[in-house]
Amino acid sequence: MEHIEGVSRDASGHASTSPKNAASWRSKTGAVAKRIAKILAQLVLLLGVYAAGCALASVLPITLPGNIVGMVLLLALLGTGLLKTRHVGDACTCLIDNMSLFFIPAGVAIMGCVSLLEGNVAKFALVCVATTVLVFLATSGTVVFVSRLMDRWEKR
């Protein structure tokens, strides 16, 4: 009997997997299915927080985007401990790892508006560079601020 990469061939030439390899495959498939189910459940939870943020934004006396209210709500839930990072962490990691996919529709939309940009390329480039620098500065400032807050919190 010939054995190649976990597949055995008997005298008639039919391929068969060994019971050990079949059990290993089933356990790996089961683990992957559990991970996918966990991420989907966490995504549903995140969508629920987003929907709650949109609902809350619609009844607020000031106009705020629902997604911003949802992020503040998520921050409040995580900060108070009502929601733990283990409840949403895998879904957040998955979304961050695939974040570039969310920019494809915006890029395609910009390509559809090339005629509007033809006379304003320099202005558009200046706005892109300026906003990128502002985002970098705001992000680094936020990281420094939060790091200092966390250091103070740990010293207590």
Side-chain angles (χ1 to χ4, degrees), residues 60-123:
L60 286 175
I62 58 174
T63 304
L64 289 173
N67 56 346
I68 300 299
V69 175
M71 285 192 291
V72 170
L73 181 61
L74 181 62
L75 178 64
L77 289 171
L78 289 168
T80 59
L82 292 173
L83 189 65
K84 305 287 185 197
T85 55
R86 70 174 183 266
H87 297 137
V88 292
D90 290 337
C92 291
T93 301
C94 182
L95 289 172
I96 289 171
D97 288 347
N98 297 295
M99 188 183 295
S100 60
L101 294 176
F102 297 113
F103 291 97
I104 292 173
V108 171
I110 289 173
M111 291 302 175
C113 300
V114 171
S115 62
L116 296 173
L117 298 175
E118 285 176 348
N120 302 312
V121 173
K123 293 176 187 175

